[in-house]
Amino acid sequence: MSYVRTHTCGELCGKDAGKHVCLSGWVNKRRDLGGLVFVDIRDRYGMTQVFFDPNANAELFNLASSLKPEYVISVEGAVSLRPEGMVNSSMSTGEIEITADKLEILNTSKPLPFNMDQDNLDENLRMKYRYLDLRRPEMSANLRLRHKVIKAVRDYFDAHDFIEIETPSLVNSTPEGARDYLVPSRVHPGKFYALPQSPQLFKQLLMVGGLDKYFQIARCYRDEDLRADRQPEFTQIDLEMSFVERDNILSLIEGMIAFVFERTLDYSVAAPFKRLTWLEAMDKYGSDKPDLRFPMEIIDVSDIVSDSGFKVFDSAVSDGGRVRGIVVPKRGSSSRKECDAIIEKGKEFGLSGLVALAFNSGTPKGVLTKFLKEDRINELKKAMNAGGDDLLLFAAGESRSISVALGKLRLYLADKFQLEPSERFNFLWVVDFPLFSIDAETKRIVAEHHPFTSPVPEDEGLMETAPLKVRSNAYDLVLNGVELGSGSIRIHSRSLQERLFKVIGLSLEQANEKFGYLMTAFEYGAPPHGGIALGADRLTAIMAGKDSIREVLAFPKNHQAICPLTGAPVRPSDEQLKILNLKVNCSSEV
Ligand code: ASP
């Protein structure tokens, strides 16, 4: 008997009744019912029920009775309509079943390390036996979606005259704010390649090379602390263009997103996307990647509540701080205990004195009613656009830090109260980022985006005198509160690039040593250029409704940057180390 299929397991339906077919796949389940055996055979296309009758062929029936989950089988038989009342409308093949006349076991399977139908499986176990996990329909659907997204991206850029160009993986350092993964060179003892944190410098050089419109589905490597949406290696939809300004890139990407969502999810995305300046985002939402699916804007009420006699507010404002609040819709009837729990949570976010004002059928309750007369309360309510059943929460203190903390509280409350998101996908551009910031650890000036980002022309003159006031020509795309990608219009002149390096503390010598080749290229007719890179994994994960990018990666690493399947990273053999002229000074456990 041949195991070559006539059909897949997701293909047959009522109109195929009467055909003689061959299906091959995995045993999903065997059911022994009233002396009959039913087997669901599965492949990535779906599942089909196969029926074995002891009276028709006892030998075949006995073989079918021995089938266990994940055995690989091939069956031949006739397609027949299921009897009345047995049709399963939740299965694409639910109208039919195969009455088997041949069965071959192509391979057996050990008992499974986990129940593949179960929800909330242990993720490390899933990763260790990824080849089993990938057999689950959910995983193959995720990978298929990813394939379709990337295919749509390629088609979109191709239609817009972009050229897909591969850039090298063994490179000199391309800084994006993380540590490099290093690869020792055998040929040049003591020297190392870095794996690219992004194709940043190569794509800029492609513009100097006149390629004009470049894109790449680029693998990037960053050695940084891992969180739910991070992996040591990840994929970017990377592009660069010449002779463009910011808005050209933004509208190109809006078009790409609309095209990809339409093509893959049949979902129409409204463009242009909303834009916020970085300052607005920080003030109104306390985050540079605000999730605008939930209202709860942070509102400054300092002018309304100052001089009220309420000491916390009065002294914050007189010390140069602000009073800001958020409205939690329809939670005015929260109990004292619930409010206290929120205030306690606020402390975790750095809000020492969160003050609640609750409206219950229009009547205000809370300590502020002792200090604010009715007209001020009404003014407050109006300024915050609050309703008669809402809960208002206020914080006083240093402007930026209370906004950041209220921003965290806002997201916590949206989750806690399961607020209905206003839409499935919310896109937002954050623009006018600061060019520089102060690194929290080293307290040194660093490039907020990367050091190849240009300042907005009006602010260029402030680079040396007031660097923290300089806005950059950078932009971030945010989707549902997740930073989907970053880009910028780049520096394309040697002198400006040298000035920027100087501000971040790189001497001319160091700058030349690290990035001399880029600055030299700028001296040979570099066109103005800019670009962006979007996280392909994050985009697909959000489209698939998943919280973790691991769900859209075939072979991800775990939180410790370990591949539970292959065991990587591993200690090289002594022989390998010798060839590379390397000595390892610690035990592998360290
Ligand atoms: N290299 C990206 C850019 O196009 C940014 C990033 O990788 O995050 O600006």
Side-chain angles (χ1 to χ4, degrees):
M1 166 184 178
S2 165
Y3 51 73
V4 177
R5 300 167 284 187
T6 56
H7 296 81
T8 69
C9 298
E11 200 178 338
L12 296 165
C13 60
K15 68 175 168 37
D16 297 302
K19 285 185 185 162
H20 193 263
V21 298
C22 170
L23 301 184
S24 293
W26 287 263
V27 173
N28 196 65
K29 209 177 237 163
R30 189 195 82 221
R31 290 182 303 279
D32 301 337
L33 288 177
L36 306 175
V37 164
F38 293 90
V39 172
D40 288 336
I41 179 169
R42 186 199 68 234
D43 62 15
R44 89 159 156 90
Y45 307 94
M47 207 138 67
T48 303
Q49 178 167 293
V50 187
F51 161 61
F52 295 87
D53 181 352
N55 300 318
N57 184 334
E59 200 186 324
L60 190 66
F61 180 82
N62 288 340
L63 190 60
S65 304
S66 73
L67 293 177
K68 299 211 168 65
E70 300 312 310
Y71 274 29
V72 188
I73 57 168
S74 200
V75 282
E76 278 183 26
V79 181
S80 44
L81 290 173
R82 290 197 196 183
E84 192 85 359
M86 305 299 271
V87 169
N88 181 349
S89 54
S90 64
M91 268 171 100
S92 65
T93 60
E95 279 177 293
I96 56 102
E97 62 188 2
I98 311 291
T99 308
D101 52 44
K102 274 188 191 150
L103 166 68
E104 190 177 341
I105 298 178
L106 303 173
N107 216 337
T108 58
S109 168
K110 285 176 29 177
L112 299 178
F114 55 82
N115 174 356
M116 286 168 48
D117 292 334
Q118 199 184 307
D119 290 332
N120 297 326
L121 292 168
D122 176 79
E123 210 195 344
N124 254 314
L125 207 55
R126 281 177 59 204
M127 285 195 258
K128 179 163 180 202
Y129 296 95
R130 197 60 158 184
Y131 42 85
L132 293 179
D133 193 38
L134 291 174
R135 286 186 204 160
R136 297 190 308 122
E138 192 184 336
M139 281 309 290
S140 66
N142 291 350
L143 292 181
R144 188 161 163 70
L145 174 68
R146 187 186 174 105
H147 159 79
K148 284 181 156 186
V149 168
I150 299 296
K151 167 90 169 70
V153 166
R154 285 201 158 102
D155 289 349
Y156 178 83
F157 285 126
D158 181 60
H160 284 76
D161 239 357
F162 279 73
I163 313 180
E164 183 168 7
I165 304 174
E166 287 177 88
T167 52
S169 290
L170 297 176
V171 300
N172 201 338
S173 184
T174 51
E176 292 280 1
R179 290 182 198 93
D180 285 327
Y181 278 102
L182 295 174
V183 180
S185 162
R186 174 186 59 80
V187 191
H188 302 283
K191 291 193 172 167
F192 291 75
Y193 300 98
L195 297 180
Q197 292 186 32
S198 82
Q200 185 60 37
L201 299 178
F202 288 106
K203 66 176 174 172
Q204 291 193 238
L205 293 172
L206 289 172
M207 295 305 104
V208 184
L211 272 307
D212 197 52
K213 290 177 178 179
Y214 139 94
F215 89 100
Q216 181 179 194
I217 307 301
R219 189 60 67 86
C220 305
Y221 307 84
R222 297 184 192 177
D223 184 2
E224 55 193 345
D225 296 335
L226 303 179
R227 299 195 303 252
D229 57 351
R230 291 229 173 119
Q231 281 277 300
E233 53 182 308
F234 59 96
T235 305
Q236 286 190 339
I237 300 165
D238 191 46
L239 68 101
E240 198 75 9
M241 300 168 82
S242 293
F243 307 112
V244 284
E245 291 175 352
R246 181 188 75 183
D247 288 4
N248 301 106
I249 306 247
L250 303 199
S251 55
L252 176 89
I253 293 299
E254 285 166 352
M256 183 205 88
I257 292 283
F259 181 77
V260 170
F261 275 67
E262 185 74 54
R263 208 14 135 83
T264 57
L265 295 184
D266 201 13
Y267 181 93
S268 111
V269 172
F273 305 156
K274 190 180 164 92
R275 287 183 200 178
L276 285 177
T277 66
W278 177 83
L279 250 184
E280 283 171 324
M282 295 306 291
D283 282 351
K284 289 186 180 169
Y285 302 99
S287 164
D288 59 3
K289 43 179 184 296
D291 190 342
L292 302 192
R293 291 173 304 160
F294 307 104
M296 291 198 286
E297 192 175 302
I298 300 169
I299 295 162
D300 197 304
V301 293
S302 313
D303 296 343
I304 303 172
V305 299
S306 57
D307 292 333
S308 63
F310 184 55
K311 220 171 142 243
V312 184
F313 289 178
D314 290 351
S315 56
V317 176
S318 62
D319 290 348
R322 310 298 295 170
V323 181
R324 291 192 174 137
I326 54 172
V327 176
V328 194
K330 305 272 172 259
R331 291 288 155 179
S333 55
S334 300
S335 65
R336 177 74 192 261
K337 206 170 142 208
E338 280 172 313
C339 285
D340 286 349
I342 296 172
I343 291 170
E344 214 38 53
K345 195 76 200 171
K347 286 186 187 151
E348 278 178 33
F349 300 134
L351 294 166
S352 50
L354 201 55
V355 179
L357 179 66
F359 287 91
N360 206 339
S361 304
T363 312
K365 224 175 58 190
V367 61
L368 284 180
T369 55
K370 293 196 190 121
F371 296 90
L372 299 176
K373 296 235 169 60
E374 201 184 330
D375 54 340
R376 280 237 228 172
I377 297 247
N378 284 337
E379 208 185 324
L380 201 56
K381 208 170 147 194
K382 196 165 157 226
M384 298 185 71
N385 204 6
D389 291 307
D390 292 347
L391 173 66
L392 279 50
L393 296 164
F394 299 96
E398 193 272 319
S399 168
R400 176 63 40 78
S401 53
I402 55 168
S403 278
V404 169
L406 282 172
K408 290 182 185 154
L409 185 71
R410 175 182 173 268
L411 292 180
Y412 165 78
L413 293 172
D415 184 50
K416 176 181 162 73
F417 294 130
Q418 298 280 292
L419 295 190
E420 190 67 39
S422 60
E423 55 198 321
R424 190 167 156 207
F425 301 110
N426 179 279
F427 288 94
L428 165 77
W429 288 111
V430 178
V431 298
D432 288 350
F433 275 76
L435 186 61
F436 302 109
S437 58
I438 303 283
D439 182 80
E441 253 171 52
T442 60
K443 309 277 176 245
R444 302 237 295 261
I445 291 194
V446 290
E448 167 79 16
H449 189 56
H450 55 52
F452 315 104
T453 297
S454 63
V456 299
E458 308 91 276
D459 294 357
E460 200 186 303
L462 298 173
M463 273 175 58
E464 286 78 10
T465 49
L468 296 179
K469 289 214 169 94
V470 180
R471 287 165 301 161
S472 72
N473 231 329
Y475 30 83
D476 272 10
L477 181 60
V478 178
L479 168 57
N480 294 354
V482 172
E483 182 198 314
L484 200 57
S486 299
S488 58
I489 298 299
R490 326 295 184 187
I491 293 171
H492 65 281
S493 92
R494 177 168 196 130
S495 58
L496 184 57
Q497 189 66 72
E498 279 180 358
R499 279 175 62 197
L500 191 139
F501 282 144
K502 199 161 169 212
V503 177
I504 59 171
L506 274 192
S507 69
L508 198 55
E509 207 181 14
Q510 288 168 321
N512 270 325
E513 193 188 305
K514 284 185 157 181
F515 307 114
Y517 62 95
L518 179 75
M519 294 195 289
T520 302
F522 286 171
E523 293 176 304
Y524 288 96
H529 59 281
I532 191 166
L534 306 179
D537 313 300
R538 286 185 193 174
L539 175 64
T540 320
I542 297 174
M543 291 175 84
K546 303 289 168 204
D547 289 334
S548 161
I549 61 172
R550 294 187 297 277
E551 299 299 327
V552 294
L553 291 168
F555 299 106
K557 298 194 175 49
N558 69 12
H559 283 298
Q560 285 86 41
I562 289 170
C563 169
L565 171 61
T566 64
V570 293
R571 194 184 173 105
S573 68
D574 289 345
E575 181 61 22
Q576 283 173 308
L577 289 172
K578 201 169 146 215
I579 293 171
L580 292 168
N581 276 293
L582 289 179
K583 267 205 182 94
V584 176
N585 260 337
C586 58
S587 79
S588 304
E589 280 71 46
V590 176

